[in-house]
Amino acid sequence: MDPQNTNRSTEAKLLLNHAKTLRLHTGNLVNRSRLKKKCPCSPSEELRDCIQATLSDWFSTTNLSSKDLPHTLDCSIHEATDAITPEEREEVKVSAKLFLCESGQSSIKDAVEMACQTLAVSQLDSVIIAPPGPLEGDSQSLAHLQPAWEELEALVRSQRIAAIGTSDLDKDMLEQLFNWAQVKPSSNQVNLASCCVMPPDLTAFAKEFDIQLLTHNDPKELMSASTFQEAVQEGVQDLNITDWRLEWVLRYSVIVKSRGIIKSKGYLVSARKASP
């Protein structure tokens, strides 16, 4: 390793060792040639590639200084950002899916605020929530969903989100949520890997109450703690990051309404260092 790379590696370690929070923005994946060449087999592999490449690019191009050691490290590739201009805002739809990686640690507001700031918009058109799965041995319940949904409802009332949706709810759970919620779910994603045909009872309920049924191929756990740590280690070599935990992942897409094409897409990631 040449002296410049050795110095950058040292600076990177200092920054990550001091920081308490890591915020990462992959930039627009439609434009990032380094990532466009890859054809990941799954959303998990795509996210891993994005984290590794973004960290690697950020540490190799950013002017690092150990004199200023921030508690929050913001890693983004400025050339690849995809802010939406006021002139084009009416022409595009901004949708997001938020994966919460830890139970009992709601970070929905932080994720939505970061998405709005990153894309330079005041409101996201739709957000679908994928809360962490219930603890082993427990079944999913309305009580498990309520805290996250209440936070989403608050963001609808403050006009940060226009519409909110759910993921992987069967007919009974969707009905319970619909009856309880003040802001009703506008959509529900169904994973066709576990359900080749939409269940008739779910289809009937969704049609009756005007809930859009969508399909997806995301795994139940988008990224495990060990996979996240491996991706960071690949981006910042020779660094022990076993005390870092993935907090949430927000995947967004900006779609041109008139043409139905994706103008931009990317990931926002937040991780936190575990308290000693």
Side-chain angles (χ1 to χ4, degrees):
M1 184 180 289
D2 64 46
Q4 184 177 3
N5 285 341
T6 301
N7 185 54
R8 284 195 172 277
S9 179
T10 302
E11 296 279 8
K13 291 175 186 177
L14 280 170
L15 285 166
L16 273 171
N17 284 334
H18 181 80
K20 304 297 183 187
T21 303
L22 172 67
R23 294 286 171 85
L24 182 143
H25 174 216
T26 62
N28 183 2
L29 302 184
V30 174
N31 294 339
R32 287 192 68 183
S33 57
R34 178 174 174 179
L35 292 166
K36 280 169 67 178
K37 295 174 184 175
K38 297 188 177 184
C39 297
C41 299
S42 69
S44 298
E45 290 181 3
E46 179 180 64
L47 177 58
R48 176 179 172 147
D49 288 344
C50 287
I51 291 173
Q52 186 274 327
T54 300
L55 282 174
S56 179
D57 290 350
W58 190 80
F59 279 117
S60 66
T61 59
T62 303
N63 291 324
L64 305 173
S65 173
S66 57
K67 297 175 184 176
D68 300 316
L69 295 174
H71 286 297
T72 297
L73 202 56
D74 291 303
C75 300
S76 63
I77 310 302
H78 294 295
E79 294 76 13
T81 55
D82 38 12
I84 297 167
T85 65
E87 293 75 24
E88 66 183 344
R89 181 62 183 98
E90 291 299 317
E91 309 299 323
V92 298
K93 177 182 179 181
V94 183
S95 60
K97 184 172 183 179
L98 177 59
F99 302 84
L100 297 178
C101 304
E102 294 188 356
S103 297
Q105 193 170 358
S106 181
S107 305
I108 296 171
K109 184 177 180 180
D110 285 348
V112 170
E113 292 294 340
M114 185 175 173
C116 288
Q117 183 177 4
T118 299
L119 299 171
V121 297
S122 62
Q123 184 184 65
L124 305 181
D125 293 298
S126 69
V127 173
I128 288 174
I129 189 78
L135 298 175
E136 193 170 343
D138 293 341
S139 58
Q140 192 176 55
S141 66
L142 180 60
H144 179 74
L145 290 171
Q146 283 172 331
W149 197 258
E150 286 175 334
E151 195 164 350
L152 284 174
E153 289 180 326
L155 289 165
V156 172
R157 285 191 285 270
S158 65
Q159 298 186 340
R160 276 313 218 185
I161 308 174
I164 50 180
T166 57
S167 181
D168 299 316
L169 298 192
D170 61 18
K171 183 263 181 184
D172 290 341
M173 275 299 307
L174 184 59
E175 184 174 11
Q176 288 181 44
L177 177 64
F178 187 89
N179 290 335
W180 167 82
Q182 293 184 1
V183 179
K184 307 300 183 184
S186 63
S187 61
N188 180 46
Q189 282 192 336
V190 178
N191 191 331
L192 289 186
S194 59
C195 170
C196 296
V197 179
M198 291 283 187
D201 61 344
L202 179 62
T203 303
F205 180 81
K207 184 177 180 181
E208 181 180 356
F209 292 99
D210 196 25
I211 300 171
Q212 187 178 15
L213 293 182
L214 309 168
T215 60
H216 75 95
N217 65 338
D218 297 313
K220 284 189 176 180
E221 184 180 48
L222 183 62
M223 175 168 279
S224 66
S226 60
T227 302
F228 168 70
Q229 290 165 2
E230 288 168 7
V232 174
Q233 283 175 322
E234 289 169 5
V236 187
Q237 296 178 357
D238 302 323
L239 181 67
N240 179 13
I241 46 85
T242 55
D243 52 349
W244 283 90
R245 296 287 180 269
L246 194 59
E247 196 174 14
W248 51 260
V249 176
L250 184 144
R251 183 178 64 212
Y252 64 84
S253 60
V254 179
I255 300 170
V256 180
K257 294 177 183 177
S258 60
R259 299 166 64 191
I261 62 169
I262 297 177
K263 178 179 182 289
S264 64
K265 64 177 182 178
Y267 289 93
L268 301 174
V269 177
S270 179
R272 191 176 296 275
K273 187 181 291 183
S275 301

